[in-house]
Amino acid sequence: MQKTFGHVLATHKGLGPGFDFLRIALAFTIVFSHSFLLTGNDEFFRSSPLWFAEYALVPMFFALSGFLIAGSAQRLSLKNFLLNRGLRIVPALAVDIVVCALIIGPLVTPVALSYYFGSADFFKYFLNIVGWIHYSLPGVFENNPTHRVNGALWTVPWEIFCYIIMSGLMITSIVKSWQKTAALTAAFIVMGIVVQLYGHHLPYRVNLVLSTFFVSRGAQLVFAFSLGILAYQLREVIPHSRVLLAISAVIAIAAIFVLSSPSIETVPNRIIVIPALVYITVFIGLTPVPLPSVFHKGDYSYGVYLYHDPFLQILIGLAPGIFLAPKVGALALYAIGICAAMTVAVISWHMIEKPILGMRKKFSFVAKARGVDENPDTTILPVEKPAKA
């Protein structure tokens, strides 16, 4: 009998045994990519096979998120679901914004502090907490190749948007119907193709809005998130097959050499490549992968992703002669930067994220089952019965 994703989940009592590994591996690899992109190695990075990291890594994160939270969305009330997501995302994000604006910025900016604290950019930066993204602080990192304080924040509004989508699926009970989810996902990708092919005939502003929602790199994340939800809904049907894993890997490898960096913002390739990436994501997430003991003490992936950019920028500013050397400088930046990001992520988890997540114990099935000492997003997959169509 062919094993399915649902069968593997049942075998592991509802756990996704490889999701902890997958989260931290994706986060570490994103830091690697940004080490090149922040040091002026854009052309080399995007003209080499490394370009595929920009295409694949964040969509895989969103596919993982869609798969995981689809289970909690079927179990929790809308209020508790939103509280769950808010407690996981907002506190660490808020601390990151406050630290960058009130500590890092004043320490590294060359402008007068009176100007810094009175600038509109300073006040606008706090809007990042609610998902209205602003990248600049007065004078901060102005001598670096990239002036953004934290470019990684670009995903925050799309993450919020995906949670809004999930809320709509919960309200309408579509989250329990794979057919309706599949229809909406297909309509989304078809709309993207239509807008990309014919949007230029529309007024500029209309085309801009439609392209943002259906064509852009952010739209790629929404598609991956939707396929993650669909994979969870069809967990009792989708085979857990090494043959399918190999086929998916071949598709991904072929994409590296057939496509190129501009493909990130084109739609047709997503029909083939993103489902392959989603399958790889879920397969790895359901596969036991050993991790060093340090990673068993908390979920540090969010902190690594959230905090790494500002600290990479600080390092570049402190030693540009080392870190801006072509190619090798990026490798040196990664070697030091990942240690800095991991250190900050550990502090963030134990001092901010974990204590606040303890509030979820009042309503969270996961927290009650495992307590707040472990990753709260790993065991959200109830397996007592498959989702109904």
Side-chain angles (χ1 to χ4, degrees), residues 163-180:
Y163 294 153
I164 292 172
I165 291 173
M166 181 62 86
S167 298
L169 298 182
M170 293 172 67
I171 292 170
T172 58
S173 295
I174 292 176
V175 72
K176 298 181 180 179
S177 170
W178 74 263
Q179 293 98 331
K180 293 177 181 179

Side-chain angles (χ1 to χ4, degrees), residues 227-243:
L227 290 182
I229 297 171
L230 195 57
Y232 178 80
Q233 292 172 325
L234 291 171
R235 65 194 180 280
E236 303 296 343
V237 177
I238 300 175
H240 184 268
S241 165
R242 291 187 178 182
V243 173

Side-chain angles (χ1 to χ4, degrees), residues 177-196:
S177 170
W178 74 263
Q179 293 98 331
K180 293 177 181 179
T181 302
L184 289 175
T185 302
F188 180 82
I189 203 71
V190 169
M191 185 66 176
I193 293 173
V194 171
V195 171
Q196 187 150 53

Side-chain angles (χ1 to χ4, degrees), residues 25-221:
L26 289 173
F28 273 42
T29 312
I30 287 173
V31 178
F32 178 80
S33 301
H34 288 184
S35 296
F36 281 87
L37 297 175
L38 290 174
T39 51
N41 289 284
D42 307 46
E43 185 176 350
F44 162 74
F45 185 88
R46 292 183 172 130
S47 63
S48 73
L50 292 173
W51 79 268
F52 196 65
E54 270 197 297
Y55 184 104
L57 295 177
V58 181
M60 290 176 75
F61 249 131
F62 273 66
L64 180 156
S65 178
F67 185 84
L68 290 178
I69 71 171
S72 59
Q74 292 187 19
R75 186 181 63 255
L76 297 176
S77 67
L78 178 61
K79 175 183 176 181
N80 283 344
F81 170 79
L82 293 175
L83 180 60
N84 210 0
R85 293 297 90 206
L87 289 176
R88 183 68 190 97
I89 294 170
V90 176
L93 174 63
V95 170
D96 171 69
I97 301 309
V98 170
V99 168
C100 285
L102 298 182
I103 299 177
I104 294 176
L107 287 175
V108 304
T109 185
V111 305
L113 292 184
S114 58
Y115 174 81
Y116 177 89
F117 287 112
S119 170
D121 284 346
F122 169 76
F123 292 102
K124 289 178 181 178
Y125 196 77
F126 291 95
L127 293 173
N128 288 317
I129 297 173
V130 295
W132 188 357
I133 303 306
H134 294 76
Y135 296 109
S136 299
L137 284 169
V140 176
F141 305 137
E142 63 179 10
N143 294 321
N144 289 7
T146 300
H147 302 162
R148 291 181 171 186
V149 176
N150 191 346
L153 295 179
W154 80 271
T155 62
V156 172
W158 291 104
E159 189 170 8
I160 293 172
F161 184 51
C162 284
Y163 294 153
I164 292 172
I165 291 173
M166 181 62 86
S167 298
L169 298 182
M170 293 172 67
I171 292 170
T172 58
S173 295
I174 292 176
V175 72
K176 298 181 180 179
S177 170
W178 74 263
Q179 293 98 331
K180 293 177 181 179
T181 302
L184 289 175
T185 302
F188 180 82
I189 203 71
V190 169
M191 185 66 176
I193 293 173
V194 171
V195 171
Q196 187 150 53
L197 292 177
Y198 303 107
H200 61 279
H201 295 299
L202 299 171
Y204 172 77
R205 291 186 180 277
V206 174
N207 183 39
L208 178 63
V209 171
L210 292 177
S211 295
T212 299
F213 280 100
F214 295 103
V215 177
S216 69
R217 190 180 178 193
Q220 182 192 47
L221 305 185

Side-chain angles (χ1 to χ4, degrees), residues 361-382:
K361 207 165 188 177
K362 296 180 180 180
F363 61 88
S364 171
F365 168 83
V366 179
K368 290 177 181 177
R370 292 181 66 178
V372 297
D373 288 337
E374 300 184 59
N375 175 16
D377 286 334
T378 302
T379 58
I380 61 175
L381 308 173

